[in-house]
Amino acid sequence: MNASAVQPPPLPKPRPPIAPEKALRRLFLTLFLRGRSARGLRKDSAPTSIGQKLFGSIAIYTFFGIFALGFVRQPVFSLAIYLHGMTFVFLGMFVAASAGEVLFNKEEADILMHRPIAPRAFLWAKIRVLVEVSLWLAGAFNLVGFFVGALCVGGNWIFPFVHLTSTILEALLCTGTVVLIYQLCLRWFGRERLEGLMTMAQMLIAVLAVTAGQIMPRLISHPGASIQMDGPHWWIVLLPPAWFAGFDESFVSGGTVASWMLTLIALASTAAVLYFAFGKLAGSYESGVQALNESSTRKSKRTRTRRRFLDMLVNAPPLRWWLRDPVARASFLLSAAYLARDRETKLRVYPGLAPMLVLPFIFLFQDRENFMGSFGAAFTGAYLGLIPMMGLDLLKYSQQWQAADLFRNAPIAGPAQLCHGARRAVLVFLTLPLLVLFAVIVWLLQGGAAHWVLAIPGLLALPIYAMIPCVGGNAVPFSIPSAEAKSASRGIQMFGIMMIAIILAFAAQVAWKYGWFWWLVLGEAIVVSALYFSMRGSVKAARWAPID
């Protein structure tokens, strides 16, 4: 046999290398789906898609989207401004609460930043995941609206396609605006002030998003009205939801000159934000990540002053009496220190709570001479009573969650005192200042303290709301990975909080009107006391859950 006739099998063609953008996008999507913690992770049960990961949130968003059926007989613009207003709330809250952790994560920067990856590819990979998650949530809420738009006055079969396009543009604008603000803060103010500015920027974006979504119903309350640049609601054109509603009206029903101007504003603003955020200023992102990861060995005078202030505070009455247990005192100091100094904690907690301040302001500033004036005070008391519940829920998450395993090695029977220390820190440093702020606002707007009496039912419920996250020992601070914070569902919590506050406020208003208000307060005080001590006993009996 001729040896030359034996030919070796051909080598398989090498696969083309995966583009860095695709590899990074797959990496960050996997981190979003499975989290950054390997504890308790089972590969066979881990979610494989965004829809599977956010199934519960998507189902609830779809349910709330059913309210779009109320716009069947109204113009396209009314439906579009409602859908875009609420979508702007959801997307703004999600991006504002998530962007800081996603864009500036120290752990991944230590691994990836020294590799030959272009800053633009690194940034686009993260933004793409943020936008994909945003579109899943926005699509769920707008699902019913896609079909309702075809039945509206002036609507037709192309509305779903036009509205889908405008929703994608809205998601890009929300995400790009957050990134652009970070980059401008870094370029203009430098590294030393970037952390504080990032927190303020996220809070501002979250507040503006919720404010824009709440102002939209004022225009919707006039069915059939079209937007006028020189009309009484001219200021609506300053809000992004109106831009994209004009986009829908222009391409679906032809629109007016005003709607075409809004369309141009939507397209121009989105293009400008994308150009500067992901093109012109993309290099600032890399320097920003590197700058935030630089550690300073020199303790600032401001840090030393804060530490002395905290020590004086816990050693003076009444906190000295309230924090007699050393474990609760240590947990209180730890939580207070993180709320004051830790960048990652501030980027999660304060932007998460900031939108809660919008609704009480809206009710307090509405027609202070009639029914709504007193309702605003009652609603404020009920609404602010829920702040400790949200604050404790946000305080559980941290990128340094592994350090919380030290709590298990300490000679304590369970997590009760750790939960109580964190709860008291949230009450002192988050809830109390906001209560004082709104007390002053009510005093100035209502001309006295009479309306604050209606806030008593809401404030009485405050201890219960603060204890709810602690039940079962589930409020141990900084003990859960940040990736499991599920910030995409924060809009759902806002809906629930708003409904509870409205029900309690109306109950207080009706009881005051018919003369049995103090009986309501007495009955609520008895129920609250029984629930509080029952829940406190449950927290005391809690023991450490297994790690795996």
Side-chain angles (χ1 to χ4, degrees):
M1 183 177 180
N2 190 358
S4 61
V6 180
Q7 297 293 336
L11 296 175
K13 293 182 179 181
R15 294 182 179 179
I18 300 177
E21 294 84 354
K22 292 183 179 180
L24 288 172
R25 181 259 176 190
R26 185 183 303 172
L27 168 65
F28 294 131
L29 181 59
T30 303
L31 288 175
F32 172 79
L33 296 176
R34 300 183 180 181
R36 301 175 186 270
S37 167
R39 178 175 297 175
L41 176 64
R42 295 182 179 179
K43 187 176 180 180
D44 55 345
S45 60
T48 58
S49 67
I50 297 176
Q52 186 179 355
K53 171 77 172 182
L54 300 177
F55 178 78
S57 300
I58 289 174
I60 298 179
Y61 275 60
T62 304
F63 171 77
F64 282 111
I66 296 176
F67 290 104
L69 292 172
F71 294 86
V72 171
R73 297 184 179 180
Q74 294 192 23
V76 169
F77 186 83
S78 296
L79 171 67
I81 205 168
Y82 164 74
L83 294 176
H84 282 297
M86 297 306 299
T87 301
F88 197 71
V89 172
F90 297 144
L91 297 187
M93 291 176 58
F94 167 69
V95 174
S98 305
E101 299 171 16
V102 173
L103 296 176
F104 299 98
N105 188 283
K106 183 176 180 180
E107 294 178 352
E108 67 189 26
D110 293 338
I111 300 173
L112 296 175
M113 288 305 294
H114 68 282
R115 298 181 181 273
I117 302 174
R120 188 172 302 174
F122 196 59
L123 178 61
W124 263 111
K126 292 189 173 186
I127 294 305
R128 183 173 174 182
V129 174
L130 274 177
V131 172
E132 286 181 16
V133 178
S134 300
L135 291 178
W136 272 90
L137 300 176
F141 176 76
N142 288 272
L143 182 61
V144 177
F146 287 143
F147 301 98
V148 174
L151 304 176
C152 286
V153 178
N156 50 52
W157 62 272
I158 68 171
F159 177 85
F161 304 99
V162 174
H163 186 66
L164 176 63
T165 303
S166 62
T167 302
I168 294 174
L169 293 175
E170 190 174 22
L172 291 172
L173 178 66
C174 286
T175 308
T177 300
V178 175
V179 177
L180 181 60
I181 290 176
Y182 285 166
Q183 292 167 336
L184 292 177
C185 288
L186 176 66
R187 174 163 293 197
W188 290 343
F189 301 102
R191 181 181 71 87
E192 296 298 328
R193 300 181 61 186
L194 179 59
E195 294 186 10
L197 289 170
M198 285 170 58
T199 305
M200 292 300 297
Q202 285 189 257
M203 292 174 61
L204 179 62
I205 293 170
V207 169
L208 290 178
V210 176
T211 303
Q214 292 300 318
I215 289 177
M216 292 298 104
R218 295 195 177 194
L219 185 62
I220 299 172
S221 62
H222 302 282
S226 60
I227 202 158
Q228 300 291 335
M229 294 295 184
D230 57 350
H233 298 291
W234 62 268
W235 43 268
I236 292 292
V237 304
L238 302 177
L239 303 176
W243 306 345
F244 297 100
F247 182 97
D248 291 347
E249 184 182 40
S250 298
F251 287 98
V252 172
S253 59
T256 62
V257 175
S259 61
W260 279 107
M261 291 184 64
L262 293 176
T263 301
L264 293 177
I265 294 174
L267 295 174
S269 60
T270 304
V273 166
L274 295 179
Y275 171 73
F276 285 105
F278 307 136
K280 197 72 174 177
L281 298 177
S284 301
Y285 173 71
E286 180 180 20
S287 59
V289 174
Q290 292 173 346
L292 287 173
N293 291 333
E294 294 176 3
S295 59
S296 174
T297 58
R298 180 182 175 185
K299 294 182 179 180
S300 65
K301 182 178 179 181
R302 189 177 180 182
T303 300
R304 293 194 297 268
T305 302
R306 285 173 176 171
R307 181 172 296 178
R308 287 197 298 267
F309 171 75
L310 286 176
D311 291 337
M312 293 174 56
L313 191 66
V314 298
N315 289 312
L319 288 184
R320 185 179 65 186
W321 307 327
W322 204 21
L323 298 170
R324 289 176 293 181
D325 186 274
V327 177
R329 178 187 294 248
S331 179
F332 178 92
L333 289 172
L334 177 67
S335 302
Y338 266 72
L339 287 171
R341 296 196 295 266
D342 184 65
R343 170 178 62 89
E344 184 247 344
T345 300
K346 291 190 293 184
L347 285 176
R348 182 185 306 107
V349 173
Y350 297 120
L353 292 178
M356 298 183 63
L357 308 181
V358 176
L359 290 178
F361 270 115
I362 291 176
F363 280 109
L364 288 174
F365 278 97
Q366 283 180 348
D367 197 1
R368 303 188 296 270
E369 300 298 329
N370 57 18
F371 175 83
M372 290 305 297
S374 56
F375 178 80
F379 178 82
T380 300
Y383 202 74
L384 294 183
L386 299 168
I387 288 179
M389 185 173 69
M390 293 286 292
L392 275 172
D393 182 67
L394 294 168
L395 206 62
K396 295 187 298 185
Y397 303 98
S398 174
Q399 292 181 4
Q400 293 84 35
W401 60 273
Q402 295 95 334
D405 288 344
L406 293 174
F407 298 150
R408 297 173 176 270
N409 298 324
I412 53 178
Q417 294 303 325
L418 293 169
C419 297
H420 290 318
R423 175 174 61 88
R424 292 162 186 168
V426 169
L427 289 172
V428 171
F429 295 107
L430 296 180
T431 310
L432 182 60
L434 291 177
L435 289 177
V436 173
L437 172 63
F438 278 95
V440 173
I441 293 173
V442 171
W443 180 281
L444 295 176
L445 292 181
Q446 311 297 341
H451 288 295
W452 258 117
V453 175
L454 292 173
I456 292 177
L459 298 180
L460 275 178
L462 191 149
I464 298 299
Y465 293 124
M467 191 65 71
I468 288 176
C470 300
V471 173
N474 294 321
V476 177
F478 320 114
S479 60
I480 302 177
S482 301
E484 299 179 14
K486 298 180 181 179
S487 54
S489 63
R490 200 147 298 142
I492 300 171
Q493 294 177 339
M494 289 289 292
F495 270 117
I497 289 172
M498 184 173 63
M499 295 306 298
I500 294 174
I502 289 177
I503 292 172
L504 195 55
F506 268 114
Q509 184 102 23
V510 172
W512 181 267
K513 180 178 180 180
Y514 291 100
W516 44 273
F517 176 80
W518 295 110
W519 288 105
L520 172 67
V521 172
L522 177 61
E524 184 184 3
I526 295 174
V527 174
V528 165
S529 299
L531 287 175
Y532 176 81
F533 287 106
S534 175
M535 297 168 72
R536 191 177 179 89
S538 173
V539 175
K540 184 178 180 180
R543 293 296 180 263
W544 293 111
I547 292 181
D548 295 326

